Amino acid sequence: MSFTFNLVMLIMLLTVVMLYIVQARRERSLQGAAGNSITILSIVCTIYLIAILSIIFNLNSGHVLLLDVIAVLGGAFLPFFIRGHFDKSIISFPLLAERFELLTIITFGEAIVGLTHFFDVANFTLIPILVFFIVLTMFGSYVIQIHNLMEHMRVERSLRLMFSHYFIVISINLVNCRIGANA
């Protein structure tokens, strides 16, 4: 399974690198977003290649898992450290914000569905109502902060928007997993 995962990740990311190479050739420069993405993805692809070679040469599976974690974290956080001349106008902030809002709303919906197992009509307590109220309050806070208070027409790189939503979705899913574990 580990070999298949690493191989598929490498093939998928190399395909994305090829698309960025095509874009860089169109721009006739590696200085823009395409060149920056090629650099970041090349580092991540190298880590996946090392993981594949580790599997082929029967190295410890713990090392392969560590390499996979490093590759995922590298892909997520390298854009903070490797910055090129990024044209902020290529990102449609309103569209990106809308997509992340939809993803988060779906995740909140899944959390509410997950709560249904927590309610037991035969053995009723106030804890499920409290947990429901907490999830509802989280959703209300999210809507007020992201949908109502955020300036949707700005032009920026959007890393804060993306990473804050990663953490929001992860947090909601962790609450949902905890709820499911108690059911």
Side-chain angles (χ1 to χ4, degrees):
M1 180 89 156
S2 183
F3 178 78
T4 305
F5 170 78
N6 284 288
L7 183 63
V8 168
M9 287 299 293
L10 182 63
I11 291 169
M12 180 180 63
L13 291 176
L14 285 174
T15 304
V16 175
V17 168
M18 294 304 295
L19 292 172
Y20 279 121
I21 289 171
V22 168
Q23 180 64 27
R25 288 183 65 113
R26 281 182 51 204
E27 294 175 353
R28 294 192 174 123
S29 171
L30 287 174
Q31 300 302 317
N36 192 39
S37 297
I38 291 168
T39 302
I40 292 168
L41 289 173
S42 296
I43 293 169
V44 175
C45 285
T46 302
I47 296 170
Y48 280 118
L49 181 62
I50 293 169
I52 289 170
L53 292 174
S54 298
I55 294 167
I56 291 172
F57 293 114
N58 292 323
L59 280 137
N60 185 348
S61 63
H63 291 111
V64 174
L65 182 61
L66 180 63
L67 286 169
D68 289 340
V69 169
I70 291 170
V72 169
L73 292 176
F77 292 105
L78 278 176
F80 281 117
F81 303 108
I82 300 176
R83 293 182 173 217
H85 300 287
F86 191 80
D87 181 10
K88 295 176 183 176
S89 68
I90 64 173
I91 292 179
S92 171
F93 190 86
L95 181 65
L96 189 63
E98 177 187 359
R99 296 301 182 249
F100 276 109
E101 284 178 10
L102 291 173
L103 177 66
T104 307
I105 289 168
I106 289 169
T107 307
F108 270 115
E110 290 176 1
I112 297 299
V113 170
L115 278 173
T116 59
H117 299 292
F118 201 54
F119 283 88
D120 183 12
V121 178
N123 194 9
F124 184 76
T125 64
L126 292 178
I127 293 174
I129 294 173
L130 179 63
V131 173
F132 176 74
F133 181 72
I134 289 170
V135 172
L136 193 63
T137 304
M138 288 170 52
F139 180 71
S141 299
Y142 172 79
V143 169
I144 290 170
Q145 291 178 11
I146 300 298
H147 188 70
N148 293 337
L149 297 179
M150 186 174 66
E151 171 59 46
H152 283 77
M153 294 313 216
R154 69 175 109 193
V155 176
E156 70 173 59
R157 195 165 173 210
S158 307
L159 285 177
R160 274 180 280 157
L161 174 75
M162 291 186 285
F163 280 98
S164 65
H165 276 81
Y166 292 153
F167 292 122
I168 289 169
V169 169
I170 290 169
S171 299
I172 297 166
N173 282 321
L174 286 174
V175 169
N176 199 20
C177 286
R178 183 68 184 143
I179 292 169
N182 288 335

